[in-house]
Amino acid sequence: MADQTQKPELFELNNGTMQVLISNLGCTITSLSVPDKDGKLADVVLGFDSLDPYLKGLAPYFGCIVGRVANRIKDGKFTLHGEQYSLPINKPPNSLHGGHKGFDKKVWQVSEYKKGENPSITFKYHSAEGEEGYPGAVSVTATYSLTSSTTMKLDMEAIPENKPTIINLAQHTYWNLGGHNSGDVLNHSIQLWANHITPVDENTVPTGEIMPVKGTPFDFTSEKKIGTSIHEVGMGYDHNYVLDCGDEKSGLKHVAKVKEPSSSRVLNLWTNAPGVQFYTGNSVNGVVGKGGAVYGKHAGLCLETQGFPNAVNQPNFPSVVVKPGEKYQHTMLFEFSAE
């Protein structure tokens, strides 16, 4: 067994144009700086200056990889191959983002770290059988790489070792393209390549229905300001969008194009996952972050590409069951630009 007593640290990926700081604690992006239309750098992710607040649990999943299963599992219960499993109810009445101590709270091992023009870092984690109530042991790998001057790629892989289990990893960065300290994201415009969402019950769990967005406040099939209809959806957006109408590029679907008008920064996101949780930071409230910036409601937006929430309990959703001999693979491509 490799040494699991590694301490939480920060690592830098820098290619001369963009700079990213990532911790082995939860594979967490704590800072990501990209140029605006005038070449001016700003840090566009919510987070903290040191690792201490992350360790103390003060971050509402800022920047981390969540797992073994992202999002909600209804009542923390599921059946797999005739066996019933119960997970921690850490977000009553459901289990959320892997339980009390999910992958976001684990110190991962750094297995490779390359500098230079295309810098990358690879983290590994071994999730033991029964960890947080999940069946089977799983080996997990996550690699962040800067593949061009303003592009970052994340490759996540997981291999079940001894029995079938459920795996659904998500990257939970909160983006604010005006800069992490620039106020709310309601003025950002977004286009989502999704004609449907999975509507939710009163506990934010999908009902199983696949609902067209046309004619609803959930419609972002053409570019629209986030603030335009947000008041019509309760606290804000926190919904899984079905990625069913985007272009493909080397096996990845176009998820979203996000644009911030004053800096003209743009983020184009691509993935091979079937869905994306679009979350507008509805419950962020007075979190004191980097440089003393106070993050309020809607201070950032999340685009968590993923398998559908509660898929293990919804036979009509794409399966999140992975068997020994199979490999879970999830890629995200973040392309920054200014226009």
Side-chain angles (χ1 to χ4, degrees):
M1 269 300 279
D3 176 28
Q4 293 292 350
T5 58
Q6 282 184 290
K7 64 180 199 302
E9 304 177 61
L10 279 173
F11 301 87
E12 180 187 43
L13 299 182
N14 191 335
N15 60 7
T17 309
M18 65 187 289
Q19 181 216 36
V20 190
L21 294 179
I22 307 169
S23 177
N24 55 341
L25 174 68
C27 298
T28 300
I29 298 171
T30 66
S31 169
L32 188 149
S33 298
V34 284
D36 68 2
K37 59 182 184 298
D38 304 317
K40 190 168 164 294
L41 284 177
D43 179 357
V44 296
V45 307
L46 272 49
F48 300 104
D49 288 318
S50 76
L51 290 177
D52 201 42
Y54 298 95
L55 287 162
K56 288 189 172 134
L58 300 178
Y61 300 102
F62 283 162
C64 57
I65 288 179
V66 291
R68 180 177 306 188
V69 173
N71 219 303
R72 289 156 185 85
I73 293 178
K74 186 178 168 70
D75 301 325
K77 287 190 175 12
F78 67 95
T79 301
L80 191 58
H81 295 296
E83 240 184 285
Q84 258 212 319
Y85 294 91
S86 285
L87 307 174
I89 307 295
N90 61 319
K91 178 85 174 169
N94 305 306
S95 192
L96 177 70
H97 291 332
H100 293 305
K101 195 172 180 186
F103 292 0
D104 61 299
K105 295 175 184 73
K106 304 287 185 180
V107 178
W108 296 46
Q109 268 184 294
V110 178
S111 68
E112 192 171 38
Y113 183 28
K114 291 189 199 142
K115 303 202 170 183
E117 202 180 334
N118 297 114
S120 68
I121 188 161
T122 299
F123 301 101
K124 284 190 188 304
Y125 178 67
H126 180 265
S127 178
E129 175 151 6
E131 183 178 290
E132 292 293 313
Y134 288 95
V138 178
S139 295
V140 195
T141 309
T143 301
Y144 291 92
S145 49
L146 302 188
T147 53
S148 81
S149 64
T150 52
T151 304
M152 179 178 74
K153 190 168 174 230
L154 169 59
D155 288 295
M156 295 177 270
E157 285 190 354
I159 298 171
E161 291 177 1
N162 55 341
K163 55 169 80 163
T165 187
I166 52 176
I167 305 173
N168 181 21
L169 307 180
Q171 215 298 336
H172 209 298
T173 292
Y174 289 70
W175 303 98
N176 185 326
L177 298 181
H180 74 97
N181 54 352
S182 66
D184 67 48
V185 294
L186 299 181
N187 216 22
H188 285 53
S189 63
I190 188 167
Q191 183 171 3
L192 292 166
W193 277 271
N195 284 323
H196 299 82
I197 60 163
T198 52
V200 293
D201 66 17
E202 68 281 6
N203 297 315
T204 332
V205 175
T207 59
E209 190 194 345
I210 308 269
M211 181 185 98
V213 294
K214 195 171 166 49
T216 76
F218 298 101
D219 189 347
F220 289 96
T221 49
S222 49
E223 191 179 313
K224 180 171 99 177
K225 274 205 162 57
I226 289 173
T228 302
S229 334
I230 197 167
H231 54 278
E232 296 172 45
V233 292
M235 293 264 297
Y237 296 96
D238 192 5
H239 295 77
N240 173 60
Y241 279 73
V242 179
L243 299 172
D244 55 8
C245 58
D247 311 331
E248 283 221 2
K249 177 169 77 171
S250 47
L252 303 180
K253 291 176 285 205
H254 206 167
V255 178
K257 178 184 177 182
V258 187
K259 187 173 178 185
E260 198 281 314
S262 60
S263 68
S264 300
R265 278 192 196 87
V266 172
L267 166 59
N268 277 284
L269 175 60
W270 302 74
T271 193
N272 62 347
V276 61
Q277 188 83 4
F278 174 45
Y279 174 53
T280 47
N282 311 325
S283 50
V284 178
N285 180 4
V287 178
V288 181
K290 287 176 280 195
V294 179
Y295 305 138
K297 192 175 181 182
H298 310 315
L301 65 99
C302 301
L303 291 165
E304 307 155 57
T305 66
Q306 59 172 11
F308 296 179
N310 196 38
V312 67
N313 293 314
Q314 287 292 356
N316 62 317
F317 284 1
S319 174
V320 292
V321 176
V322 189
K323 303 183 189 79
E326 298 176 341
K327 185 191 270 192
Y328 167 93
Q329 284 180 302
H330 181 175
T331 297
M332 302 177 80
L333 192 66
F334 303 88
E335 294 181 324
F336 295 93
S337 56
E339 58 178 49

